[in-house]
Amino acid sequence: EIVVPSEKEFMLYLKDTLTDEQYSKTRDKLILRYKSWTVNDWKDAYGTDIKNWKNKGFNAAISLLK
């Protein structure tokens, strides 16, 4: 079963995991990613189920920083 966090839980996890600079640079785009994944039944852009949301969120943030 896929566990979907609340937007607040998702963002708090990333705020605690990323540096302040990383978080401030990616915050708005990560909210959009979260909303997109939620609308898409918690699947990514490739249609793959998001099973580990912490890993997916962290990797999304790192990708946005490149």
Side-chain angles (χ1 to χ4, degrees):
E1 179 180 331
I2 296 173
V3 177
V4 178
S6 67
E7 183 177 326
K8 182 178 180 179
E9 181 182 12
F10 180 78
M11 295 307 295
L12 282 174
Y13 170 76
L14 292 170
K15 185 174 185 179
D16 289 343
T17 304
L18 301 168
T19 66
D20 290 343
E21 181 181 2
Q22 289 172 326
Y23 183 77
S24 66
K25 286 183 175 179
T26 59
R27 181 186 175 280
D28 292 344
K29 289 181 180 178
L30 288 169
I31 290 171
L32 292 175
R33 291 264 177 113
Y34 175 87
K35 291 180 179 185
S36 172
W37 295 333
T38 301
V39 168
N40 200 28
D41 294 323
W42 212 238
K43 295 179 192 293
D44 64 16
Y46 303 103
T48 305
D49 290 340
I50 298 171
K51 296 177 182 174
N52 184 335
W53 65 265
K54 290 179 180 181
N55 189 50
K56 189 71 171 181
F58 180 77
N59 287 337
I62 297 306
S63 176
L64 290 168
L65 289 167
K66 292 181 180 177

